[in-house]
C-alpha cells in the first residue's frame, strides 16, 4: 500500500543550488486513515474484550485494549438497514426515515459519513457482504468505489458473500490506488448472521458453537484489514449493527424486540490519537459518525442526533422496532436508556436496572412508578412519532419478496398505536410464528396444523394468513390457499397480498384471473423486474398476446437494460411460429444476469435443428444452470452424455431428473443405467429397488434388473428376470 506522506522532491537546476523545497506539512495537517468495520449480528457478550472466556477474537480484543472500549453502546434498531443508516448519518431512524428492512431507502438528502470524509479530501471505498447493504438502499453515497457484487440467492433477504471476499475487495483497491490522500474504507461483514455455518477450520475449532465460529472467522478478516494499514496513521472503528436473540425473551434471531440481547453491542475505537480507556457512559451507534469526524478534524454537520463520545455530559439513548406492530398488530418495542435504567414504553411499562439486571428479567416499573414516569418523559422528549407507513418505490422486487416471506409491509391494524395490545399477552403467537420456517422444513403438516390454529385464534393478523397460504400451497391445498388470501385481501387491500393471490392463481393454471389481478397492479408495480416478467408470462399464457406484445415493447423502451423482458417475448414468438422475430430477442436476453426460463432452451433447440451440437449443449447447460428444474433440457443433456459415453455426466443429469420427476420410470431407468455403466453396482441396486417399487411391471426396468443381477453374480435370477422382461414387453405391444 502507498505511504500517506507525500514525497518531497528536491529539484536542482543545472550547476546551481537546489531550489527551496516546499515545507513538509505539519503532522496535525496529515489526517489519519479511517477503517470502519461493521459486524452484522454480533452480540456484545460473545467478544473476549467484553468478558467472554470462550471467544476467539484476538484482533478485536487487541484493538479494545489499546483504544476505547465502549461498555454500554446500543443499537438504535435491531435490523441491518435502519441501523446502518443511523451509523452513516448520525441520525435516529425516525429522522432518516428508514424504520424497517425494506420500507425505505437512505435518501440522498442526508449527508453520510463517506460524503463528509470525501469532501475533506479522503479517498473512499466500501465493500459489503449482503443484499441488505447493497447500493440500492443508498449506502453507496460518497464512495469512490463500492463493492457490492452479492450473488443471487433463493433466500432473497439473506443473499450474502463471505467476509474474505469483502476484505479482498478493499485490499485490492488499496494496492492499486495511486492517490496520496488518506483513505476511508468501510467493510461490512455478515458472516455471524443466521444460518451459522462457519467454514473450516473455524467449524471444527468451535464444535457445537457455530455462532462463536463465525465470529472467530470475522475477527480474522478484521486482522487482515489491520495488517493492510500496518505502519500507517490509522483509526479503526469496529461496531456491530445489532446482536442476536439466541432464544432470550422468546426471540430466536432479531428484529422484533429491543432487549439487550439485540441492542447492547460491541463498539471499539482504536489507533492514532485514541487513548486506552473503558467508556462506561451510555452511547448510541448514531454517535459513530460525529465521533469519527471529530477525531480526524472534519466539520460535523449540523442537526445530528449523535455527538462525539465520550462526552462530559451523558445523554439518553433511544431505540425502536415496529415489527411487532407491523407484523402482528401488537404494541411496538420502543425503549430509552438513561443512566443505569432502561424503559420500555408499552401498555404495561417495563423498567430495568441494566447493571444489576442485564438480562432484563426483573421489571421495576410497578414498584418504582415515579422513576418509570421520569423515563417516559425522557422518551417523549425525543418527539419521535410512529412510522407513517409511506414507503419508497424501491428499485427492485423487494415488496414481492417480502410477501413471499409472509411479511406484508404496513400490515398493522388500522388502530392507534396506544390501542395495540401488549406483546407480553401474546407470547404464544410470537413464539409459534418464529418457528414457522423451521417447522416447514422439518414437518410441513405440523406447520400447517399450527398455522391453521393461529389463523383461528388471530383472524385479524394478516401475516398469519399469508404464512398459512404458503403452507397450504406447499402442501398442495391450493384451493384453500386461495380462500385464505382472499380473506386477507378483505382485511387489507395491499399490492403484496395481490401478488400472493396471483401466485395462487398461477398454481391453479388460472391464467385468466391471474392476468386480471396483475393488470390491476401494472401502473404501480412496473418498477419491479420480477413483476414485469410475471405479467408478460401470464398474459401470454392467458392467450392475451394482443395486450402482451405492446406492453413488452413499452417495457423495452422504458427499461432498456432489463433483458428479461425481451427473453419472455422471444420465447413466445419462437413458440408461435415466429422464430425469425423471436431469435434476436432471445440472443439479447441470454446475455443478461438473470435469464428467464426457456430462453436458453429455445436457443438450444434452434442450434440442434441447425445440427450445431456443441452450441445446443452449451445452451441446454446454461438453461439448467439458471433453471435446474427444466426437465426437457436435463433429458437432452442426459441423451447427449449417453451418446458420448460420458457416464458421469449421464448420471448427474439422470439423478436430477429423478429429483424433478420422481414418479417417472424413465428417469429412474436412466439413473440405474448410468450407475450400471459406471460399475457402481451397489448404488445401482439401491436405485433399482426404488425404481421397481414405483413401477414393478415396467419391462425396461425389469430387463435392466436382469442385467444387474448378472453383474451381481446371480445368473439364474437374472435369466428368470430376463424371461419376465420379454413377457412384459410382449404384453405391452
Amino acid at each position: 500500500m502507498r505511504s500517506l506522506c507525500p514525497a518531497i522532491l528536491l529539484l536542482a537546476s543545472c550547476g546551481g543550488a537546489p531550489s527551496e523545497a516546499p515545507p513538509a506539512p505539519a503532522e496535525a495537517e496529515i489526517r489519519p486513515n479511517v477503517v470502519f468495520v461493521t459486524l452484522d449480528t454480533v452480540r456484545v457478550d460473545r467478544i473476549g474484550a467484553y468478558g467472554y472466556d470462550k471467544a476467539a477474537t484476538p484482533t478485536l480484543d487487541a484493538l479494545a485494549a489499546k483504544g476505547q472500549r465502549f461498555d454500554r453502546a446500543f443499537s438504535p434498531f435491531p435490523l441491518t438497514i435502519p441501523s446502518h443508516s443511523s451509523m452513516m448519518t448520525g441520525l435516529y431512524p425516525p429522522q432518516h426515515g428508514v424504520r424497517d428492512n425494506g420500507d425505505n431507502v437512505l435518501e440522498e438528502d442526508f449527508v453520510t459519513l463517506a460524503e463528509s470524509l470525501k469532501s475533506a479530501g479522503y479517498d473512499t471505498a466500501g465493500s459489503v457482504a449482503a443484499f441488505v447493504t447493497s447500493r440500492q438502499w443508498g449506502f453507496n453515497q460518497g464512495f469512490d468505489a463500492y463493492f457490492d457484487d452479492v450473488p443471487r440467492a433463493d433466500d432473497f433477504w439473506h443473499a450474502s458473500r463471505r467476509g474474505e471476499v469483502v476484505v479482498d475487495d478493499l485490499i485490492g483497491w488499496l494496492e492499486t490506488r495511486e492517490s496520496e490522500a488518506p483513505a476511508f474504507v468501510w467493510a461490512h461483514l455478515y458472516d455471524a448472521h443466521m444460518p451459522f455455518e462457519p467454514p473450516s477450520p473455524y467449524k471444527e475449532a468451535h464444535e457445537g458453537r457455530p455462532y462463536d465460529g463465525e465470529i472467530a472467522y470475522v475477527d480474522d478478516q478484521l486482522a487482515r484489514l489491520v495488517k493492510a494499514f500496518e505502519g500507517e496513521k490509522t483509526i479503526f472503528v469496529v461496531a456491530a449493527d445489532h446482536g442476536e436473540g439466541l432464544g432470550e425473551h422468546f426471540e430466536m434471531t432479531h428484529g422484533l424486540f429491543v432487549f439487550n440481547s439485540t441492542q447492547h453491542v460491541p463498539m471499539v475505537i482504536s489507533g492514532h490519537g485514541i487513548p486506552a480507556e473503558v467508556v462506561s457512559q451510555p452511547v448510541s451507534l448514531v454517535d459513530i459518525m460525529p465521533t469519527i469526524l471529530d477525531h480526524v478534524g472534519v466539520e460535523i454537520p449540523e442537526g445530528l442526533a449523535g455527538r462525539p463520545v465520550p462526552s462530559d455530559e451523558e445523554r439518553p439513548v433511544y431505540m425502536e422496532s415496529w415489527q411487532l406492530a407491523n407484523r402482528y398488530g401488537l404494541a411496538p418495542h420502543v425503549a430509552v436508556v438513561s443512566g443505569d435504567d432502561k424503559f420500555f414504553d408499552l401498555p404495561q411499562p417495563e423498567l430495568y436496572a441494566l447493571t444489576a439486571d442485564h438480562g432484563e428479567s426483573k421489571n421495576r416499573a410497578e414498584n418504582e412508578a415515579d422513576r418509570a414516569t421520569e423515563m417516559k418523559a425522557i422518551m417523549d422528549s425525543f418527539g419521535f412519532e410512529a412510522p407513517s407507513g409511506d414507503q419508497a418505490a424501491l428499485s427492485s422486487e423487494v415488496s414481492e419478496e417480502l410477501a413471499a416471506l409472509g411479511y406484508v409491509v404496513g400490515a398493522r391494524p388500522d388502530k392507534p398505536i396506544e390501542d395495540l395490545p401488549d406483546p407480553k399477552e401474546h407470547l404464544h403467537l410470537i413464539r409459534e410464528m418464529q418457528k414457522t420456517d423451521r417447522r416447514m422444513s422439518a414437518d410441513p403438516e405440523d406447520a400447517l396444523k399450527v398455522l391453521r390454529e393461529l389463523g383461528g385464534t388471530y383472524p385479524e393478523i394478516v401475516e398469519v394468513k399469508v404464512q398459512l397460504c404458503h403452507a397450504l400451497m406447499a402442501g398442495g391445498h391450493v384451493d384453500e390457499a386461495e380462500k385464505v388470501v382472499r380473506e386477507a385481501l378483505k382485511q387489507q387491500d395491499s399490492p403484496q397480498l395481490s401478488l400472493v393471490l396471483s401466485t395462487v392463481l398461477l398454481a391453479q393454471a388460472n391464467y385468466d384471473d391471474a392476468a386480471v389481478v396483475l393488470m390491476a397492479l401494472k401502473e404501480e408495480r412496473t418498477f419491479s423486474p420480477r413483476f414485469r416478467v410475471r405479467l408478460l408470462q401470464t398474459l401470454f399464457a392467458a392467450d392475451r398476446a394482443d395486450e402482451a406484445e405492446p406492453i413488452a415493447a413499452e417495457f423495452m423502451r422504458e427499461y432498456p437494460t432489463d433483458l428479461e423482458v425481451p427473453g419472455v417475448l422471444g420465447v413466445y414468438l419462437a413458440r408461435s411460429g415466429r422464430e425469425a422475430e423471436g431469435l434476436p430477442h432471445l440472443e439479447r436476453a441470454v446475455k443478461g444476469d438473470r435469464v428467464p426460463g426457456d430462453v436458453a432452451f429455445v436457443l438450444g433447440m434452434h442450434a440442434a435443428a441447425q445440427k450445431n451440437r456443441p452450441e445446443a449443449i452449451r445452451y441446454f447447460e446454461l438453461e439448467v444452470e439458471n433453471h435446474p428444474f427444466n426437465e426437457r433440457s436435463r433429458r437432452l443433456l442426459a441423451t447427449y452424455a449417453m451418446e458420448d459415453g460420458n457416464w458421469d455426466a449421464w448420471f448427474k443429469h439422470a439423478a436430477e431428473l429423478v429429483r424433478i420427476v420422481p414418479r417417472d420410470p424413465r428417469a429412474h431407468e436412466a439413473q440405474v443405467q448410468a450407475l450400471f455403466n459406471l460399475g457402481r453396482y451397489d448404488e445401482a441396486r439401491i436405485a433399482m429397488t426404488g425404481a421397481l417399487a414405483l413401477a414393478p411391471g415396467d419391462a425396461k426396468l425389469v430387463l435392466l434388473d436382469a442385467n444387474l443381477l448378472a453383474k451381481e453374480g446371480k445368473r439364474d435370477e437374472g435369466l428368470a428376470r430376463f424371461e419376465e422382461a420379454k413377457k412384459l414387453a410382449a404384453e405391452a405391444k
Side-chain angles (χ1 to χ4, degrees), residues 8-23:
I8 301 173
L9 302 179
L10 299 178
L11 304 178
S13 59
C14 292
S19 60
E20 184 178 350

Side-chain angles (χ1 to χ4, degrees), residues 74 249 251 256-263 319-321 324 331-337 341-354 357-365 371-373 375-376 379 422-424:
F74 294 91
H249 299 282
E251 185 169 33
L256 293 176
F257 304 129
V258 293
F259 289 116
N260 285 338
S261 51
T262 60
Q263 303 313 112
M319 59 200 74
E320 68 173 23
S321 174
L324 285 168
H333 249 215
V334 181
V336 65
V337 170
D341 292 323
K342 184 174 178 182
F343 175 78
F344 292 77
D345 188 14
L346 291 165
Q348 300 169 29
E350 297 175 26
L351 177 68
Y352 301 102
L354 295 185
D357 184 22
H358 186 267
E360 297 157 305
S361 61
K362 299 174 183 176
N363 183 7
R364 301 156 41 224
R371 180 55 176 161
T373 300
M375 293 292 286
K376 176 68 164 68
M379 174 173 287
D422 196 296
K424 291 187 288 292

Side-chain angles (χ1 to χ4, degrees), residues 153-227:
D154 291 336
D155 189 353
F156 184 85
W157 279 101
H158 299 155
S160 63
R161 56 187 187 151
R162 277 288 179 193
E164 61 198 88
V165 183
V166 171
V167 176
D168 285 346
D169 285 339
L170 292 174
I171 291 177
W173 177 79
L174 289 166
E175 290 175 344
T176 56
R177 77 184 184 112
E178 298 179 354
S179 169
E180 298 289 354
F184 168 60
V185 299
W186 168 40
H188 166 242
L189 303 176
Y190 191 76
D191 303 87
H193 195 287
M194 280 283 287
F196 306 138
E197 297 173 349
S200 295
Y202 304 92
K203 176 181 178 181
E204 293 77 12
H206 302 273
E207 187 69 35
R209 296 182 291 115
Y211 182 56
D212 290 353
E214 293 279 32
I215 294 173
Y217 169 82
V218 165
D219 190 79
D220 279 353
Q221 302 314 310
L222 173 61
R224 295 176 60 209
L225 278 174
V226 172
K227 183 175 177 58

Side-chain angles (χ1 to χ4, degrees), residues 541-606:
D543 293 325
R544 294 170 63 170
D546 56 332
E547 296 173 77
E549 288 191 49
I551 289 174
E554 172 192 334
F555 287 165
M556 286 189 289
R557 285 194 304 271
E558 294 185 8
Y559 305 95
T561 60
D562 179 1
L563 301 186
E564 292 185 77
V565 168
V568 174
L569 177 60
V571 168
Y572 169 76
L573 292 172
R575 288 182 172 165
S576 302
R578 298 157 63 185
E579 188 176 66
E581 291 180 66
L583 281 175
H585 293 302
L586 294 170
E587 289 164 353
R588 182 175 170 221
V590 81
K591 298 174 183 176
D593 293 333
R594 188 164 178 162
V595 183
D598 284 340
V599 168
F601 173 77
V602 173
L603 287 171
M605 292 299 291
H606 176 73

Side-chain angles (χ1 to χ4, degrees), residues 8 24 52 105 139 142 148 240 263 288 303 305 343 398 549 573 668 691 702:
I8 301 173
Y52 185 49
V105 300
F139 292 128
D148 62 346
Q263 303 313 112
I288 285 178
F343 175 78
V398 169
E549 288 191 49
L573 292 172
H668 287 272
V702 173

